[in-house]
Amino acid sequence: MSGQSAIERERAARKAAEAKLAVLEQSQKYKDPAVGLVVALADSADGVAIWDASQTLLACNEAYKGVFGHHPFVEPGIKYADLMDLTYQERMIWPEGFRDGDWRVSLKDRRTSKTMPRIILESHDGRWFRLQNRHTATGGTLSMVVDITKSLAEHRETQRQMIEAEAASRAKSAFLANMSHEIRTPMNGVVGMADLLCETTLDDEQTLYAKTIRNSAEALLVIINDVLDYSKLEAEKLVLHPETFDLEHLIHEVVMLLQPTAQDKGVDLLVDYDLFLPTHFTADPGRLRQIITNLLGNAVKFTDDGHVLVRVTGLPVSDSTEMRLHIAIEDTGIGIPPDRVGAIFGQYNQVDDVTHQRGNSTGLGLTISKELVELMGGEIWVDSEQGEGSVFGFHITVPHEAAPTRLRQIDTADLRSVLVVDDLDVNLTILKKQLQNFGLSVHCALSAKAAEELLAQTEVDLIITDHLMPETNGLEFAQSLRAKKDKRPIILLSSNPLVLRSSDASKVFDVVLQKPLARHALLSSLDQIQGRRPDHKAHAKTLNLTVAQQDTQSSSDRPMRILTAEDNATNRLVFEKMTKDLNVDLVFAHDGNEAVDLFRSHKPDLIFMDISMPEKDGYTACREIRDLETRPTPICALTAHIDIEAASVDHSARFDRTLTKPLKKGQLLEMISEFRPKTAAPLFSLPQSALHQADKAG
């Protein structure tokens, strides 16, 4: 439609009607009101009538008579009640929605009320009118009847088009969601098998092929996710779901997800979380995770050496329980050309030319991140110098659970001085701040050789060393100390998961920790070294997984029992191969019915439940298991849906966790490790050479 919309035209008509009624009231100044009416509104396109105090028609124009089909009885002198009876009997006109009902009493009573709201009238010949009445100063009534047939038809057409557009938008979203699910299901087999293939013995050419398959598949999944999210943002259908979450833990989870890619490139991933910042905030953790993953993934992608650092700071908002969070991702990568910085958050920046410039291959990820940050009421920015690296950052203001507090200091009676060995200066700075915050004296060395020289002249109670360092690595450094009968406790920091599961590590190191290091995991390890029970089990059990510690937790040789419900044969094979090195008793259910039956007979310690299965879906099976269980059984939902809001959060089913396909081996093993009962045997039984193989691979 062109020109004014139907709503605008109706509003203009209403204003004109009001003006005409005002003129009509002025016409009553005439000695004979009918004369005034004829003079003022005889040629009006809207129907106008004037009734006296006894509700007798004094005068009306031709347009008013036309509402009633110019019936001969619609003339001055007719009573209002008689006109209503005539209209009802002849079925000439009726109030909207009262075609088959007797509406006369309600319209007659309406004349005696103090206010007379507008009503819509429908005519037998398909016309529509808006009736507007007003009491006059002499006790009579002014009536204005406006023909709204055309404007109403246009309004309804507009509504119809809006409904169709919304239906089309919903259909598009449903189609995209369904297609993403259908694509991700076979992609689970592609990515999973490619991951497993990369872990086998391959020559250089085969390794290149396997990694290319894996990387290409993961890139395709990113595109699928971005297209669905962008369509939601474009349609303004994306809704945030705030909840309380642990920000520091969330960041470490994202870092762990990207750790294999960074490790393959020799890039260090670091986290610098403000020591005085609280960890629990209220926001949408899923969308915040998406923003950080996009920014961090970009940084890793465009950094070939050096490091990528996630820095988290915050300032309290005065007179409020809110915190202004600043999250920045700093890298030592290729940087962005000056002429590309301004367009870096623009749409469809997806042309990756041969120069591999960062500003030309960000796709929709940065655009979506910008939209999400702004949806949260924040702002995103970038600062970059070509060849010198980049800093992508954003800030949002969110409520926090408690006031900022320092982590407690440890008992320094037996542990006063610590030596930290790492070839990366920024990592030394982060660890030094954390340890000093615990009340410890900290010495730093950039190499094993410098550390040995420092040990010869400085009293140290604890040694913390990085794993992969030039010349002498962390394992070789620790072995040389043990060969000299040095019995001081040594903590190894490593980004290689194989090291964490190696029995060799427990012979040399007192504790092995995953990099980057969470503050609570470090504090827990210091407590462990001092012989005290850790205060933060949740972090210790996922980040501190040496075989020796697992042995102390076990009181039985029986393997952990795992039930996996999965109807897709390829996905079952991927799951089986990902867990083949674990000491577990694994059984598969092919559908929801079989899952419930196997729950009764197998009595699993942990259940992985696919959501979309024939016969009985994962939601229903989970609810039935909850009704049968005598003790809580951890159940993790497996889903190929990327719309977590609709697909994997079903509160009535009461899932404990959710994993999205394609499955990542590291995430799967971490989930199993988290829920391994103390009565089950250790999960890992690797050969003695595992640590050396992992060190060589790193």
Side-chain angles (χ1 to χ4, degrees):
M1 292 181 296
S2 61
Q4 289 183 315
S5 67
I7 294 175
E8 290 172 336
R9 283 195 294 272
E10 186 175 344
R11 186 180 294 116
R14 187 164 62 248
K15 289 182 178 179
E18 295 281 356
K20 290 176 180 179
L21 283 174
V23 172
L24 188 57
E25 286 206 11
Q26 289 296 321
S27 73
Q28 292 181 83
K29 296 179 180 179
Y30 290 90
K31 187 175 181 181
D32 183 353
V35 175
L37 176 64
V38 172
V39 172
L41 300 170
D43 298 326
S44 173
D46 300 323
V48 181
I50 182 168
W51 307 79
D52 65 15
S54 66
Q55 296 303 309
T56 299
L57 181 61
L58 296 177
C60 64
N61 63 0
E62 287 300 314
Y64 188 85
K65 294 178 182 180
V67 174
F68 303 92
H70 294 280
H71 195 285
F73 288 100
V74 184
E75 291 288 345
I78 190 173
K79 291 286 188 179
Y80 178 75
D82 293 337
L83 179 60
M84 292 299 99
D85 290 340
L86 173 66
T87 303
Y88 176 76
Q89 292 164 4
E90 298 284 340
R91 293 291 190 271
M92 291 187 293
I93 198 167
W94 54 86
E96 183 181 22
F98 283 87
R99 180 167 189 160
D100 298 323
D102 192 342
W103 42 265
R104 290 173 292 179
V105 173
S106 63
L107 254 66
K108 291 175 182 177
D109 291 344
R110 181 171 171 272
R111 284 295 182 101
T112 61
S113 63
K114 289 184 178 180
T115 59
M116 292 180 284
R118 300 183 183 92
I119 62 172
I120 303 300
L121 302 175
E122 183 180 358
S123 173
H124 69 93
D125 56 6
R127 293 179 297 163
W128 292 82
F129 303 94
R130 183 179 63 249
L131 172 63
Q132 179 179 345
N133 291 333
R134 177 184 296 174
H135 294 298
T136 67
T138 58
T141 304
L142 292 174
S143 294
M144 173 77 74
V145 185
V146 180
D147 190 332
I148 59 171
T149 306
K150 183 178 179 181
S151 62
L152 185 62
E154 292 175 348
H155 176 66
R156 288 177 174 174
E157 174 63 17
T158 301
Q159 284 187 316
R160 185 190 66 78
Q161 291 176 358
M162 289 177 61
I163 292 172
E164 288 182 355
E166 290 175 357
S169 177
R170 287 193 298 269
K172 181 185 73 171
S173 297
F175 172 78
L176 288 172
N178 185 61
M179 283 300 98
S180 69
H181 173 270
E182 294 302 320
I183 293 171
R184 289 173 74 89
T185 297
M187 288 298 290
N188 183 55
V190 176
V191 175
M193 285 301 183
D195 274 338
L196 293 169
L197 184 60
C198 289
E199 293 182 2
T200 62
T201 303
L202 305 171
D203 61 33
D204 291 343
E205 187 175 16
Q206 292 169 330
T207 299
L208 174 63
Y209 295 162
K211 288 185 176 181
T212 301
I213 293 171
R214 182 188 63 189
N215 295 340
S216 298
E218 289 178 343
L220 177 59
L221 288 171
V222 170
I223 294 171
I224 295 170
N225 294 356
D226 286 350
V227 168
L228 184 59
D229 280 338
Y230 188 77
S231 68
K232 284 185 177 181
L233 288 164
E234 189 178 38
E236 298 183 350
K237 296 295 184 183
L238 195 146
V239 179
L240 298 177
H241 297 278
E243 60 180 83
T244 300
F245 68 100
D246 187 329
L247 176 61
E248 185 179 17
H249 188 60
L250 181 150
I251 290 173
H252 277 274
E253 286 179 338
V254 174
V255 170
M256 289 301 102
L257 183 66
L258 295 170
Q259 187 72 271
T261 304
Q263 187 176 328
D264 287 345
K265 303 178 71 172
V267 173
D268 286 295
L269 286 184
L270 309 173
V271 177
D272 185 8
Y273 195 97
D274 189 342
L275 299 174
F276 300 96
L277 192 67
T279 59
H280 287 79
F281 298 88
T282 300
D284 187 328
R287 295 303 176 184
L288 194 57
R289 182 193 304 270
Q290 183 177 359
I291 296 167
I292 297 172
T293 301
N294 279 340
L295 299 181
L296 189 59
N298 250 7
V300 172
K301 179 179 179 180
F302 294 102
T303 302
D304 295 325
D305 56 73
H307 69 272
V308 176
L309 169 65
V310 183
R311 194 183 302 277
V312 186
T313 58
L315 292 172
V317 179
S318 59
D319 300 326
S320 138
T321 59
E322 293 184 322
M323 181 76 66
R324 183 180 172 90
L325 280 177
H326 292 259
I327 301 176
I329 288 83
E330 307 171 10
D331 66 63
T332 57
I334 61 175
I336 307 171
D339 61 335
R340 296 293 301 160
V341 172
I344 197 68
F345 295 109
Q347 301 173 9
Y348 312 120
N349 284 328
Q350 205 164 345
V351 181
D352 194 1
D353 63 14
V354 294
T355 63
H356 198 57
Q357 290 183 333
R358 180 177 198 152
N360 292 335
S361 57
T362 55
L364 289 173
L366 290 178
T367 302
I368 292 170
S369 296
K370 178 177 182 292
E371 295 286 343
L372 289 175
V373 169
E374 291 177 353
L375 192 61
M376 294 179 178
E379 185 179 2
I380 194 168
W381 50 271
V382 60
D383 185 15
S384 181
E385 184 175 344
Q386 191 169 9
E388 299 295 329
S390 303
V391 180
F392 279 79
F394 66 95
H395 66 77
I396 55 175
T397 300
V398 293
H400 59 84
E401 193 174 73
T405 56
R406 284 175 64 101
L407 286 174
R408 63 173 174 79
Q409 293 186 336
I410 65 170
D411 184 357
T412 57
D414 300 318
L415 187 58
R416 299 178 297 274
S417 180
V418 180
L419 169 63
V420 182
V421 188
D422 197 310
D423 62 306
L424 197 61
D425 188 63
V426 65
N427 205 28
L428 284 178
T429 302
I430 294 171
L431 281 169
K432 184 176 182 179
K433 286 193 301 183
Q434 291 179 346
L435 292 165
Q436 286 178 335
N437 190 54
F438 297 151
L440 298 173
S441 174
V442 184
H443 305 276
C444 297
L446 287 167
S447 66
K449 181 180 179 180
E452 290 177 348
E453 294 174 355
L454 196 149
L455 288 172
Q457 52 188 320
T458 306
E459 187 68 28
V460 171
D461 301 313
L462 169 66
I463 300 168
I464 300 177
T465 179
D466 186 32
H467 176 208
L468 297 180
M469 297 185 294
E471 299 181 2
T472 304
N473 65 34
L475 174 61
E476 295 166 342
F477 171 54
Q479 287 173 332
S480 69
L481 292 178
R482 295 306 185 213
K484 299 174 185 177
K485 307 302 180 182
D486 192 324
K487 296 183 179 180
R488 281 176 288 201
I490 306 176
I491 295 177
L492 175 68
L493 307 181
S494 175
S495 58
N496 195 323
L498 283 175
V499 174
L500 300 183
R501 302 195 296 271
S502 171
S503 56
D504 271 4
S506 63
K507 295 180 180 180
V508 181
F509 302 101
D510 295 82
V511 178
V512 179
L513 292 176
Q514 174 82 54
K515 289 175 57 181
L517 190 59
R519 295 177 299 169
H520 292 121
L522 178 59
L523 182 58
S524 176
S525 299
L526 296 177
D527 281 339
Q528 179 183 331
I529 287 173
Q530 290 186 310
R532 298 211 308 267
R533 182 180 180 183
D535 290 339
H536 302 280
K537 297 179 182 177
H539 292 274
K541 66 184 176 184
T542 57
L543 298 173
N544 191 356
L545 298 173
T546 64
V547 172
Q549 292 163 346
Q550 290 190 24
D551 287 339
T552 61
Q553 295 175 359
S554 303
S555 59
S556 170
D557 291 330
R558 75 154 180 94
M560 179 182 180
R561 295 186 293 267
I562 297 176
L563 166 61
T564 299
E566 173 62 73
D567 66 302
N568 185 281
T570 301
N571 290 342
R572 290 196 298 271
L573 179 61
V574 170
F575 195 101
E576 181 182 6
K577 295 303 181 182
M578 284 185 172
T579 57
K580 65 182 177 66
D581 292 329
L582 302 184
N583 182 22
V584 296
D585 180 5
L586 174 64
V587 296
F588 285 102
H590 296 73
D591 56 47
N593 286 323
E594 192 174 347
V596 176
D597 292 339
L598 282 172
F599 170 77
R600 293 189 179 100
S601 60
H602 193 61
K603 295 180 173 55
D605 300 306
L606 174 62
I607 299 172
F608 289 94
M609 183 74 71
D610 186 35
I611 294 299
S612 301
M613 294 186 292
E615 301 294 334
K616 183 178 293 180
D617 64 21
Y619 295 127
T620 306
C622 184
R623 283 191 288 266
E624 290 187 12
I625 289 172
R626 293 302 186 204
D627 292 337
L628 291 171
E629 64 186 4
T630 56
R631 59 174 178 80
T633 304
I635 303 179
C636 175
L638 303 178
T639 177
H641 288 279
I642 58 177
D643 189 351
I644 299 298
E645 305 158 11
S648 60
V649 177
D650 186 328
H651 297 293
S652 63
R654 292 177 291 171
F655 291 116
D656 295 276
R657 296 286 191 279
T658 298
L659 286 179
T660 305
K661 298 175 184 177
L663 298 178
K664 295 289 186 180
K665 185 175 180 180
Q667 289 178 305
L668 183 61
L669 298 186
E670 182 177 311
M671 188 77 67
I672 294 172
S673 298
E674 178 180 353
F675 289 108
R676 182 187 73 88
K678 293 182 179 180
T679 56
L683 295 174
F684 308 107
S685 301
L686 296 185
Q688 295 294 314
S689 59
L691 181 59
H692 302 285
Q693 293 173 352
D695 182 60
K696 182 180 179 181

